[in-house]
Amino acid sequence: MNVKSSNATKAQLSFNQFKSEVLNDYKTAVISRECSLLGRREVLTGKAKFGIFGDGKEVPQLAMAKAFKKGDFRSGYYRDQTFMMAIGELTPQQFFAGLYANPNIKEDPMSAGRQMGGHFQTHTLDENGQFKNLTEQYNSSSDISPTAGQMPRMLGIAYASKLFRNLSEINKPKFSKDGNEISWGTIGNASTSEGVFFETINAAGVLQVPLIISVWDDDYGISVPAKFQTTKENISEILKGFQRNDKEKGYEIFVVEGYNYAKLVDTYNKAAKIAREEHVPVLIHVKDLTQPQGHSTSGSHERYKTKERLIWEKQHDCILKMRDWIIEFELNDDEGNSLKFVHSEDELIKIEKEAKKVVNQARREAWINFLNPIKEQRTILCQLLENLALKSKNKAFILKLKNDLSEIPDPSRKDNLSTARKAIVYVRDEDFFDKTQLQKWIINYAKTEQSKFSSHLYSETNQSFIHIKEELPTYSENPELVDGRLIIKENFDKLFAQHSDLFIFGEDSGSIGDVNQGLVGLQEKYGKLRISDTGIREATIIGQGIGMALRGLRPIAEIQYLDYLLYAIQILSDDLATLHYRTAGTQKAPLIVRTRGHRLEGIWHSGSPMGAIVHMLRGMHVLVPRNMTKAAGFYNTLLECDEPALIIENLNGYRLKEKLPNNLGQFKTPIGKVETIKEGKDITVVSYGSTLKIVEDVVNSLAQVNIDIEIIDIQSLLPFDINHDIVKSIQKTNRLIIIDEDVPGGASAYILNEILEKQNAYEFLDSKPTTLTAKDHRTAYGTDGDYFSKPNAEDIFETIYQIMHEANPTLFKKLY
């Protein structure tokens, strides 16, 4: 073969590879579209509850997938099904399993039916809850529904790459290869109106991290057009000020039509090269996209789009445009031979027909796999009900229940269990073997099925807090008395020396060593990347930590004051606290959030919204140490766990004197256990944080009137008193008061519920359980504001005295 013919053969082979790739992409796009179309029908026929699909965004997602490498992470939203299919992490059958909410993680690996369809992820943990080698797989962090909520996490994923590249001492080959990994974010155009979008954009520009944000722009946010969403109706236009130049760092910004396959592929390759090599954030504004089926199955876009717009959308459908491009494509090789992707439209029609068959078959198999386990249990239950009916005096009623259940064409787990529980009522006063069999079935079925929907709220691995043993602080014979802040600082010093993957960051955390000097001098010792300052941006401080923790690092995200946690509560609640649960234990982010509160001075620094926190952060530990030794012990414990937590340090404690332990970095405060800090016989006083000091201040005053109180420090709100030690105290004192800085009905109501209902303490009470809380309003400023807003020493004394007066009015005379 001569050189010329050899080159021609190579060119032909190269074109054939290109052709195969293009046609395979087209097939993926068509399969994805068919899933969307058929998925909508499944919702409308009642087989699925709700559908929100990625139709109209297929072609740009194909281009994004081409530039996405193993080790990279996606942080996206519920339109990205085509991308997930293109990287091989979502099959049509899995798509429908998610639509049907199949609770089997093998059938629906996205969330085991816990999230509605369209919420995607990959498994970063193995079956033992340990991290896989993330550099050898495509990674997707778990989606959440709140729009733009994926943005803060996206920042943290990218920031981790910066740390891996710049800190050689982090030796974690399973998590990074020289920081080359990109964080790929996606968001709809309307959601760029959210504050966390702009906060993330700014933070990524400041930090200069490998982040690529794709804005899928179809000109609407549900029914609201862009003119009501975005200034100038163009997100890339208004972000031009972020564009980098020769003198200033910033973003690289690209704008590309969402139907131009060739240009999209080129754009994404350019963006990936910049982000991966230079660690520069990139914004890709993908415009002129469509939404063929509207926003979701809950409505029709024909109601709010003009006829002209609907016609335009049909003409500019990205798959139709790609189809036309494939048919029209032609070029000549060096020898003048014509090269085409297809020689007739029939070749594409064949691909389209095959795609429909694939999707239909996937739908059928997914539905069968979802329904069969339910039907199998229904068969068993119906036989039990038939046996039960034969022996019962209520035979007719039981048979009706059984027949009604049998006739349901597509039964649910609810139908099975609900029927059984109704049947057992009919035999409540009868006693025979078949009744016992049904009782066993109900108990077993309820237990096994409940776990499908309620497991993995917290870690179930050997790194769970329950496996960490308490280790007490030890002291020298004559321990030094120091400010509490020095205990925190010296303990952090030990931890940073022990853990090369430990980081702390927040407002004023770095240069000045935090506002209360708990980190003073440590940035100079460990460097600006390990102990760093951030901007005033609470939501993305938390997101920064979530992303880092997802990638195997151990971050501590500092929120300066507890009151400011409210800026980030949505990210904490919707993303971090739910992560392990919504992924059925296949992802984790053991982020520690550090803050401080309970100063009792003013509306904005009194810091006691605990009721809101304990209700919104289920899935995290909420720890409330009364002093800095206890706080330091919590940090030591958490770094041996794999669970996220919030530690609220006591603002009053930084300058109070404590004994300096000699085993800093080693002693461990137990999570979920209370501590009795004073024993007594008359009443159990339960509290936490700075309020405990006020309680201790009234001990002598109460003793002078012959009242001996037992004081219990909660220490941990989530989890709460796992050993049920409070009820043991109440068995002795027979009285209970809960003292709390939160508003009435806040954390005190939660604590009361835990003690009375879960610990059954009501059995041992001789007096009405009492809560003493702050007033309904925030704390007014100053000494008097504190005194009249939150529980003070006289309030505590008089409330406890009144309880004792009601118990024994002869001994404890009425005060006034």
Side-chain angles (χ1 to χ4, degrees):
M1 181 181 292
N2 61 37
V3 173
K4 186 174 181 180
S5 62
S6 175
N7 288 338
T9 302
K10 289 179 180 178
Q12 183 66 44
L13 286 172
S14 177
F15 178 77
N16 285 338
Q17 290 172 344
F18 178 38
K19 170 184 174 179
S20 176
E21 190 174 329
V22 169
L23 293 181
N24 185 63
D25 278 352
Y26 181 71
K27 182 177 181 179
T28 300
V30 175
I31 286 174
S32 179
R33 177 65 62 87
E34 287 298 320
C35 284
S36 297
L37 296 173
L38 195 52
R40 182 179 180 86
R41 279 187 289 183
E42 292 298 274
V43 173
L44 297 180
T45 58
K47 285 186 176 180
K49 287 286 186 179
F50 181 78
I52 191 160
F53 308 115
D55 47 308
K57 281 73 180 174
E58 293 91 351
V59 174
Q61 290 180 30
L62 295 172
M64 176 175 153
K66 289 183 179 304
F68 193 88
K69 303 297 182 187
K70 288 185 177 179
D72 287 355
F73 262 84
R74 166 190 167 273
S75 181
Y77 83 130
Y78 43 73
R79 302 291 184 194
D80 293 347
Q81 70 198 44
T82 309
F83 170 80
M84 295 297 291
M85 290 177 177
I87 63 170
E89 294 296 336
L90 176 69
T91 67
Q93 188 168 328
Q94 291 166 346
F95 170 90
F96 285 103
L99 192 67
Y100 301 141
N102 192 320
N104 185 332
I105 191 66
K106 293 181 179 179
E107 295 291 333
D108 173 25
M110 300 302 119
S111 75
R114 296 181 180 191
Q115 297 211 82
M116 69 178 71
H119 293 72
F120 308 113
Q121 66 136 343
T122 56
H123 296 187
T124 59
L125 306 179
D126 62 22
E127 292 181 355
N128 297 315
Q130 302 301 309
F131 279 108
K132 297 179 178 181
N133 188 330
L134 303 185
T135 67
E136 294 180 354
Q137 65 178 42
Y138 298 114
N139 302 293
S140 174
S141 58
S142 173
D143 294 340
I144 58 176
S145 283
T147 56
Q150 70 274 25
M151 294 295 298
R153 175 200 337 136
M154 188 190 307
L155 172 75
I157 292 168
Y159 185 67
S161 287
K162 179 175 182 175
L163 298 175
F164 282 123
R165 178 168 291 184
N166 290 282
L167 294 173
S168 58
E169 61 265 36
I170 309 175
N171 183 23
K172 291 206 166 194
K174 290 202 314 182
F175 297 97
S176 180
K177 292 182 178 178
D178 195 32
N180 290 328
E181 299 79 23
I182 295 172
S183 175
W184 296 81
T186 65
I187 189 169
N189 60 289
S191 296
T192 63
S193 302
E194 294 279 8
V196 286
F197 172 81
F198 286 96
E199 187 175 316
T200 304
I201 288 286
N202 183 60
V206 169
L207 293 172
Q208 289 293 283
V209 290
L211 172 68
I212 298 178
I213 302 171
S214 296
V215 180
W216 308 141
D217 190 346
D218 57 27
D219 281 337
Y220 283 85
I222 307 183
S223 67
V224 181
K227 66 180 180 180
F228 297 118
Q229 303 277 2
T230 310
T231 303
K232 299 184 179 181
E233 302 183 39
N234 189 318
I235 190 62
S236 58
E237 184 68 23
I238 64 174
L239 292 178
K240 278 185 176 179
F242 285 86
Q243 175 69 52
R244 63 177 180 162
N245 55 46
D246 293 339
K247 296 181 180 179
E248 299 166 311
K249 294 180 179 179
Y251 274 75
E252 194 63 56
I253 299 176
F254 295 98
V255 181
V256 58
E257 296 87 358
Y259 53 76
N260 191 329
Y261 175 83
K263 189 175 178 182
L264 283 161
V265 171
D266 181 57
T267 300
Y268 274 93
N269 283 331
K270 287 179 181 177
K273 181 177 175 61
I274 292 168
R276 203 179 301 279
E277 295 179 4
E278 302 178 49
H279 273 203
V280 169
V282 181
L283 176 82
I284 304 177
H285 181 191
V286 184
K287 62 179 186 176
D288 292 340
L289 288 171
T290 66
Q291 215 166 60
Q293 298 187 113
H295 174 76
S296 69
T297 55
S298 63
S300 170
H301 63 154
E302 286 85 359
R303 290 186 301 152
Y304 54 84
K305 290 178 182 175
T306 65
K307 290 181 180 180
E308 291 76 17
R309 173 69 191 190
L310 292 170
I311 292 171
W312 181 91
E313 290 201 4
K314 287 184 179 180
Q315 294 172 340
H316 290 80
D317 184 288
C318 63
I319 294 181
L320 177 62
K321 287 285 189 178
M322 183 180 181
R323 191 181 195 274
D324 291 342
W325 175 75
I326 290 172
I327 293 172
E328 295 168 4
F329 184 91
E330 183 177 4
L331 58 80
N332 294 321
D333 63 15
D334 292 340
E335 295 182 345
N337 298 313
S338 175
L339 301 176
K340 291 186 173 186
F341 292 138
V342 294
H343 294 284
S344 75
E345 187 180 6
D346 291 342
E347 294 177 56
L348 293 184
I349 292 173
K350 183 179 179 181
I351 291 174
E352 291 157 2
K353 287 182 177 179
E354 178 60 29
K356 287 186 178 183
K357 287 181 181 178
V358 167
V359 174
N360 267 299
Q361 180 64 25
R363 177 194 61 79
R364 284 192 295 271
E365 291 180 4
W367 182 244
I368 289 169
N369 291 345
F370 170 71
L371 210 54
N372 273 355
I374 302 173
K375 286 186 172 181
E376 288 169 5
Q377 283 296 323
R378 180 176 68 173
T379 300
I380 295 171
L381 175 59
C382 284
Q383 186 61 58
L384 289 173
L385 292 175
E386 191 167 316
N387 296 342
L388 190 76
L390 293 174
K391 301 282 182 64
S392 174
K393 61 186 178 183
N394 290 308
K395 175 180 179 180
F397 297 104
I398 296 170
L399 285 178
K400 184 178 187 308
L401 287 173
K402 176 246 180 185
N403 292 334
D404 288 347
L405 179 62
S406 299
E407 290 172 4
I408 299 174
D410 301 322
S412 66
R413 289 171 171 83
K414 169 183 175 279
D415 293 325
N416 285 345
L417 190 54
S418 176
T419 299
R421 293 167 78 175
K422 289 174 182 176
I424 206 70
V425 177
Y426 286 119
V427 293
R428 64 191 181 279
D429 57 354
E430 298 179 288
D431 189 17
F432 48 88
F433 174 77
D434 298 291
K435 173 186 175 181
T436 304
Q437 292 300 99
L438 180 61
Q439 288 173 327
K440 289 180 179 179
W441 185 92
I442 291 172
I443 293 169
N444 183 64
Y445 192 69
K447 182 179 179 180
T448 58
E449 299 310 297
Q450 187 68 57
S451 69
K452 291 181 173 70
F453 303 94
S454 300
S455 68
H456 294 98
L457 181 60
Y458 297 97
S459 173
E460 298 177 8
T461 73
N462 58 11
Q463 287 183 273
S464 167
F465 77 93
I466 61 175
H467 300 296
I468 310 299
K469 293 182 179 179
E470 179 179 9
E471 189 171 337
L472 295 172
T474 59
Y475 299 94
S476 59
E477 187 173 343
N478 295 301
E480 182 182 0
L481 286 175
V482 299
D483 288 347
R485 67 181 179 83
L486 292 177
I487 293 174
I488 280 287
K489 181 249 182 183
E490 295 299 327
N491 194 75
F492 275 137
D493 192 3
K494 294 289 185 182
L495 293 178
F496 273 90
Q498 294 168 13
H499 303 275
S500 63
D501 58 353
L502 180 62
F503 298 84
I504 191 165
F505 47 90
E507 299 157 17
D508 300 303
S509 300
S511 179
I512 68 169
D514 90 40
V515 290
N516 294 99
Q517 303 290 278
L519 297 168
V520 67
L522 297 186
Q523 187 183 73
E524 291 88 342
K525 188 171 183 178
Y526 295 103
K528 292 183 178 180
L529 285 177
R530 294 197 63 196
I531 300 167
S532 56
D533 290 308
T534 69
I536 300 176
R537 51 174 182 83
E538 285 78 9
T540 49
I541 288 173
I542 297 302
Q544 192 170 325
I546 294 171
M548 292 167 66
L550 278 167
R551 297 192 60 191
L553 300 175
R554 293 311 308 261
I556 301 175
E558 182 170 319
I559 302 298
Q560 196 165 89
Y561 294 108
L562 181 58
D563 310 80
Y564 304 158
L565 195 75
L566 300 183
Y567 280 104
I569 201 73
Q570 185 266 319
I571 302 301
L572 285 166
S573 181
D574 290 332
D575 198 355
L576 181 59
T578 67
L579 176 66
H580 200 56
Y581 167 76
R582 73 177 187 270
T583 64
T586 59
Q587 288 190 3
K588 64 181 177 183
L591 167 64
I592 301 170
V593 181
R594 180 191 185 210
T595 190
R596 51 194 66 83
H598 312 302
R599 186 170 179 168
L600 308 172
E601 290 290 344
I603 290 177
W604 307 118
H605 295 84
S606 57
S608 298
M610 303 307 299
I613 287 169
V614 297
H615 286 95
M616 299 186 77
L617 300 190
R618 302 298 170 98
M620 291 181 65
H621 299 318
V622 176
L623 310 176
V624 283
R626 69 178 182 273
N627 59 36
M628 296 304 133
T629 302
K630 291 290 183 181
F634 276 136
Y635 289 110
N636 300 341
T637 299
L638 286 168
L639 285 173
E640 294 192 16
C641 300
D642 64 352
E643 300 163 289
L646 170 67
I647 297 181
I648 303 167
E649 295 171 13
N650 179 352
L651 255 174
N652 284 333
Y654 292 112
R655 298 194 181 278
L656 294 178
K657 299 297 183 183
E658 297 182 45
K659 294 185 294 183
L660 181 66
N662 54 28
N663 59 341
L664 291 162
Q666 297 175 10
F667 63 87
K668 298 176 184 67
T669 307
I671 293 172
K673 295 183 181 180
V674 303
E675 181 182 3
T676 300
I677 58 179
K678 179 197 173 298
E679 293 190 354
K681 62 182 176 59
D682 292 325
I683 186 170
T684 299
V685 181
V686 175
S687 191
Y688 60 91
S690 64
T691 307
L692 279 165
K693 186 177 185 306
I694 305 174
V695 173
E696 290 178 297
D697 289 344
V698 302
V699 167
N700 290 336
S701 299
L702 288 165
Q704 289 172 8
V705 294
N706 297 314
I707 299 175
D708 183 19
I709 65 173
E710 181 148 303
I711 305 174
I712 295 180
D713 178 8
I714 291 169
Q715 298 195 104
S716 170
L717 283 166
L718 289 176
F720 183 89
D721 190 11
I722 59 176
N723 291 333
H724 289 190
D725 288 323
I726 294 176
V727 73
K728 297 169 189 173
S729 170
I730 294 170
Q731 283 178 311
K732 176 177 61 173
T733 67
N734 306 118
R735 293 177 182 86
L736 168 67
I737 182 171
I738 298 164
I739 301 173
D740 182 23
E741 290 186 4
D742 200 1
V743 297
S748 59
Y750 160 75
I751 295 165
L752 195 62
N753 172 266
E754 289 282 331
I755 297 171
L756 294 188
E757 293 196 29
K758 292 190 178 179
Q759 299 187 16
N760 294 321
Y762 67 90
E763 296 182 27
F764 309 106
L765 287 172
D766 292 337
S767 297
K768 181 184 73 173
T770 301
T771 62
L772 176 60
T773 68
K775 299 298 185 286
D776 285 322
H777 53 75
R778 301 280 185 102
T779 307
Y781 176 63
T783 301
D784 287 343
D786 163 34
Y787 188 86
F788 287 96
S789 300
K790 290 196 171 186
N792 56 59
E794 287 73 33
D795 290 336
I796 294 170
F797 177 93
E798 291 178 4
T799 305
I800 292 173
Y801 186 91
Q802 179 63 24
I803 294 170
M804 299 308 297
H805 162 73
E806 291 171 359
N808 191 338
T810 303
L811 183 60
F812 302 100
K813 302 293 185 181
K814 192 171 184 178
L815 293 177
Y816 49 82

